[in-house]
Amino acid sequence: GNSVTQMEGPVTLSEEAFLTINCTYTATGYPSLFWYVQYPGEGLQLLLKATKADDKGSNKGFEATYRKETTSFHLEKGSVQVSDSAVYFCALSDPWAGGTSYGKLTFGQGTILTVHP
Amino acid sequence: DAGVIQSPRHEVTEMGQEVTLRCKPISGHDYLFWYRQTMMRGLELLIYFNNNVPIDDSGMPEDRFSAKMPNASFSTLKIQPSEPRDSAVYFCASSFTWGDYTNSGTEAFFGQGTRLTVV
């Protein structure tokens, strides 16, 4: 079945440091890929997405590129802020196969990011 | 739209009691999901519906858990009887889907969650 693997956390950085959170996936076909963010006490929010190979998703200074050849979707940000402290989840949706499963998201285990001033 | 609405936000109950969690998805969305989040297990998919029909309930931990979606605008997750190990944050999410074999997509929106404590 489909699966998502994220780098082990937690990740602790100083403000303005460069961030990378690794994500790799296993799936057949062409899934869509996502990064979700969860701030303390809240639900998950979509941060960015990419629906086909070589697409780059971006939002709020975060970027991730859909790499089919390495089955990866690593999250990056050039300069993190204290307000970026949160849990980050990589996810994929089943590729369309004419059935009813392609709306389902499979999540990684989440990576806790803490940014210090 | 107000987003996915869950109620209650917090629930404290005694072991053995019945607990009902409620969810109102975003209008027009064709999928609805129930997730459970704990420190130990992370985010777990319990069950999901497509057009009000349950598609996969393999994540429901035991027969004590049941979920219904009587119409497109309402779903419930019921635990009867509740146990302390059911303590967790329960999230409802809804999504819309689009596409075909060459290009497809979906985007899920989460509610704020219900923090359940069973004592």
Side-chain angles (χ1 to χ4, degrees), chain A residues 32 34 36 38 46 49 100 103, chain B residues 31 33 37 104 106-108:
Chain A
S32 294
F34 308 84
Y36 278 79
Q38 183 180 28
L46 179 65
K49 66 179 180 182
T100 55
Chain B
Y31 282 82
F33 307 85
Q37 187 176 38
S104 63
T106 185
E107 183 167 335

Side-chain angles (χ1 to χ4, degrees), chain B:
Chain B
D1 203 313
V4 177
I5 300 173
Q6 291 187 245
S7 64
R9 289 294 310 277
H10 302 273
E11 176 80 36
V12 180
T13 191
E14 292 185 346
M15 182 174 62
Q17 296 299 305
E18 177 179 295
V19 175
T20 299
L21 311 181
R22 297 173 176 79
C23 175
K24 176 179 168 52
I26 294 173
S27 176
H29 283 193
D30 52 351
Y31 282 82
L32 184 138
F33 307 85
W34 282 101
Y35 289 89
R36 178 172 70 176
Q37 187 176 38
T38 61
M39 289 295 291
M40 292 296 295
R41 293 175 173 266
L43 196 62
E44 302 174 274
L45 176 62
L46 300 177
I47 185 172
Y48 74 99
F49 298 81
N50 176 226
N51 293 323
N52 313 338
V53 177
I55 301 301
D56 184 353
D57 65 355
S58 60
M60 298 282 262
E62 300 171 31
D63 291 345
R64 299 183 296 105
F65 286 70
S66 63
K68 294 182 179 179
M69 191 166 187
N71 57 60
S73 59
F74 184 66
S75 177
T76 59
L77 178 68
K78 185 176 293 186
I79 308 172
Q80 165 64 17
S82 58
E83 297 182 4
R85 59 192 167 126
D86 302 331
S87 297
V89 180
Y90 290 81
F91 288 105
C92 176
S94 69
S95 70
F96 63 92
T97 54
W98 54 269
D100 56 32
Y101 183 73
T102 61
N103 192 18
S104 63
T106 185
E107 183 167 335
F109 295 79
F110 282 73
Q112 295 282 71
T114 295
R115 182 173 294 277
L116 173 65
T117 304
V118 184
V119 298

